[in-house]
Amino acid sequence: MTSGDEAIRLAEQRAEATRARNLPQFTDMPIPGDTANLREGANLNDALLSVLPLVGVWRGEGEVVYPTIDGPFRFGQQITFAHDGRPFLIYEARSWLLNEAGEVIRPAARESGFWRPQADDTIEVLLTHNTGIIEMYYGKPIKQTAWEFQTDALIRTATAKDVTAAQRLYGIVNGDLAYVEERAMMGQPMQAHASAQLQRVVG
């Protein structure tokens, strides 16, 4: 198990490459810009302390699998958690399919939304997918660096896949952001669908 001093040393070492990076900024905006770097921009709202470790930009690879697809398939992904000083995180995830050699095949899934921590430690997560799905999750931190969510409501367009429920587990593991997503869709019971491990590139 890593000691507190060793964890701080490793975090400082990782930050050497990421602390000077942030989201591109428009300097002529009349309101505060989004920041994914806690050293820059608006101060973090106290309501976001339970999700503070997530703030940044993360990039890495994962795997998607499900009985109704031919996979498993490898994918690359970038996830952004940013804020503008108000009590919510701005969330964006962009993915791309990879071949066995790790080369990009094409763009894949996109998600955007908001993480909204509440006073009772509940976190509301609102996500919109490019595939025509809108999800509302509720969850809580399960420790300082791990968060678990389940869908409370799900809306689909007429052309979207038949998704009925989903759940996600996120965690910071040895400095990386890792997650597992399970889905019930296309007549299948809840089961693993996607997982990834991402490294911090900003913040």
Side-chain angles (χ1 to χ4, degrees), residues 27-79:
T27 58
D28 58 349
M29 286 282 285
I31 55 176
D34 297 342
T35 179
N37 189 326
L38 294 172
R39 302 169 185 85
E40 300 180 16
N43 290 332
L44 189 79
N45 193 289
D46 287 347
L48 298 181
L49 292 177
S50 67
V51 291
L52 180 152
L54 294 167
V55 176
V57 179
W58 308 82
R59 192 179 298 159
E61 292 188 13
E63 182 178 88
V64 61
V65 63
Y66 210 71
T68 58
I69 65 175
D70 292 334
F73 295 112
R74 290 176 62 191
F75 66 90
Q77 187 173 55
Q78 177 174 289
I79 292 180

Side-chain angles (χ1 to χ4, degrees), residues 93-172:
R94 301 186 66 176
S95 304
W96 48 94
L97 288 180
L98 301 170
N99 64 21
E100 292 182 1
E103 300 165 331
V104 176
I105 299 172
R106 61 173 174 81
R110 294 190 70 162
E111 303 173 344
S112 61
F114 301 94
W115 288 40
R116 295 164 33 88
Q118 304 301 309
D120 64 354
D121 280 343
T122 298
I123 303 174
E124 304 167 357
V125 176
L126 310 174
L127 295 183
T128 303
H129 301 254
N130 67 299
T131 53
I133 298 169
I134 300 172
E135 298 169 334
M136 180 170 66
Y137 291 82
Y138 280 91
K140 288 191 173 185
I142 54 178
K143 58 181 182 177
Q144 287 186 326
T145 56
W147 305 263
E148 190 171 30
F149 304 95
Q150 294 182 336
T151 49
D152 179 70
L154 196 149
I155 300 171
R156 294 178 282 115
T157 65
T159 57
K161 285 185 177 180
D162 179 22
V163 180
T164 56
Q167 54 193 31
R168 296 185 181 195
L169 174 65
Y170 292 83
I172 307 295

